[in-house]
Amino acid sequence: RASLLNPRWVPFQSARWGTFKPALTAGGEPYFVWLEYGARSEFKIEIERDGETHVVTLEAQSIDSLSELLTRDNSFDLAGREARLLDGNIAYLRPGAFYNLDAKTPEEAYDPASLEKYKSFIDKTFETFIDSGAEHLVLDLRDNGGGDVSFSDPVVAWFATQPFRFSSDFRVRVSEETTASNQARLDARPGDKDSISAKLAELYGRADTGDLVSYEMPFVKPRDGNRFSGRVHVMVNRYSYSNAVTTAALIQDYGFGTIYGEPTRDMATTYGAMEQFSLPNSGFIVGYPKAHIIRPNGEEKSHPVTPDVLINVPSVRGEDDVMLETLVQRLQEN
């Protein structure tokens, strides 16, 4: 569902385009202004303050000077992966996007070696948290472009209290393009007979083109042995997309933790599981969601993840991580 080249990209739902639009265009406003208005020497801005309207004339900035300002941006960053201990027996984990962050090609995004390296990082992180006596886990899924359950399930398995799966139903409209794209993935990994792609190939083989089929998503068991038994607190925001949203939804639906932050713009029940095909003349690659993914609680209407606890954040991100500070203070006080 997330694009490897642009992990914040998701196919929009027209019913919620009003909330998707500002999230998807964030950071690119200067370019969209230029595209709409062209080159300008100045801008007249109307500002309403205390019931009065004031007109302010602003000199336009060149793209070079604007780029220099942007490179000096001192707002906090949520890129990459991070694990650390906070004050008050609170552990913090930002797992990052659920794929190989160093991948240069789509094939490298979920290769087995990268997955094993990632799982080792997750296991060592939780072992450290448990040994330190942490009673609370803050799982940060903000600014997370999503990825695959092979990367997210190992995280949830550390604190899950029952078998889980990210969808109650996974519906696919069978097509020649979907079958071919799935087969290409199998051809890239010969001998992989136990993967979801292999099981989908079997399902497609029993169906006709145009049929709507349901893939029975297997349950994932909580990990054997030592597990994190403290309370889990998950943070989401408008830049939580794709599998980050479905991960938050399953934690919410199974009662594995509490969700904090602002409503996501991507959907918990949604269309996803991207496939692709190439246009015959131009060779352009077209990506499309093959499946209707129903969240664990069975809700079929497309809707975002609504946090259990809403935390207001500044419209413009600054140096301080207000949402995290608010959550940590809340946990310490309680």
Side-chain angles (χ1 to χ4, degrees):
R1 293 172 61 203
S3 165
L4 177 62
L5 298 180
N6 183 3
R8 285 187 176 178
W9 178 87
V10 290
F12 70 84
Q13 311 274 346
S14 59
R16 290 189 58 82
W17 179 233
T19 57
F20 258 128
K21 183 168 61 176
L24 294 177
T25 58
E29 293 88 349
Y31 302 97
F32 292 112
V33 169
W34 171 83
L35 185 64
E36 177 68 19
Y37 300 106
R40 301 282 290 271
S41 60
E42 63 181 30
F43 292 90
K44 292 186 181 299
I45 309 296
E46 288 189 354
I47 300 175
E48 183 175 332
R49 179 178 297 166
D50 299 329
E52 297 183 0
T53 300
H54 306 270
V55 178
V56 180
T57 300
L58 300 177
E59 181 180 350
Q61 300 290 315
S62 69
I63 191 63
D64 291 335
S65 61
L66 180 62
S67 298
E68 184 179 349
L69 287 172
L70 293 176
T71 57
R72 295 204 305 265
D73 180 22
N74 59 355
S75 59
F76 71 90
D77 188 12
L78 293 171
R81 315 191 195 283
E82 183 181 5
R84 56 192 170 99
L85 291 167
L86 307 177
D87 293 335
N89 297 326
I90 302 172
Y92 172 86
L93 171 62
R94 187 174 69 247
F98 295 117
Y99 54 77
N100 175 15
L101 299 180
D102 299 322
K104 300 297 189 297
T105 66
E107 291 74 22
E108 295 177 354
Y110 308 109
D111 66 90
S114 297
L115 175 58
E116 289 305 312
K117 181 179 179 181
Y118 170 81
K119 289 167 67 175
S120 177
F121 161 72
I122 294 298
D123 290 346
K124 290 179 181 178
T125 293
F126 273 99
E127 289 168 359
T128 300
F129 290 164
I130 293 172
D131 291 343
S132 70
E135 299 177 355
H136 298 272
L137 169 67
V138 174
L139 180 62
D140 195 347
L141 299 183
R142 296 174 298 166
D143 290 22
N144 189 315
D148 189 72
V149 293
S150 60
F151 279 70
S152 58
D153 284 348
V155 177
V156 179
W158 265 98
F159 53 79
T161 55
Q162 67 182 89
F164 63 91
R165 57 183 181 179
F166 77 94
S167 68
S168 58
D169 198 0
F170 191 86
R171 303 168 185 169
V172 181
R173 181 76 67 183
V174 180
S175 68
E176 294 179 0
E177 291 79 8
T178 294
T179 301
S181 181
N182 188 70
Q183 186 59 48
R185 192 161 45 250
L186 286 172
D187 293 342
R189 299 179 186 174
D192 191 3
K193 299 181 180 180
D194 297 325
S195 66
I196 291 180
S197 295
K199 295 175 182 177
L200 284 172
E202 295 178 5
L203 182 62
Y204 299 160
R206 299 193 299 267
D208 295 325
T209 298
D211 285 351
L212 184 65
V213 297
S214 287
Y215 173 71
E216 186 67 22
M217 194 64 63
F219 282 91
V220 179
K221 295 181 180 179
R223 71 184 309 276
D224 295 329
N226 204 17
R227 293 201 301 273
F228 182 80
S229 59
R231 297 180 61 185
V232 177
H233 314 271
V234 183
M235 291 195 298
V236 296
N237 65 0
R238 68 189 66 190
Y239 304 122
S240 302
Y241 288 134
S242 190
N243 190 40
V245 173
T246 55
T247 299
L250 83 83
I251 292 172
Q252 187 177 52
D253 291 353
Y254 282 99
F256 294 158
T258 305
I259 313 299
Y260 300 80
E262 58 183 356
T264 63
R265 284 5 181 207
D266 201 357
M267 307 294 162
T269 290
T270 188
Y271 294 93
M274 297 294 290
E275 296 289 7
Q276 64 183 36
F277 65 91
S278 299
L279 295 177
N281 294 327
S282 65
F284 287 170
I285 296 176
V286 178
Y288 65 97
K290 69 170 177 284
H292 189 194
I293 303 171
I294 311 300
R295 70 180 289 173
N297 67 6
E299 175 57 62
E300 297 193 6
K301 181 180 179 181
S302 292
H303 60 96
V305 168
T306 300
D308 301 299
V309 180
L310 294 172
I311 298 179
N312 293 323
V313 295
S315 300
V316 178
R317 183 176 294 181
E319 295 183 17
D320 299 324
D321 189 345
V322 176
M323 186 184 294
L324 178 59
E325 291 176 354
T326 301
L327 174 55
V328 170
Q329 181 179 359
R330 177 189 179 95
L331 298 181
Q332 291 173 337
E333 290 175 350
N334 292 334

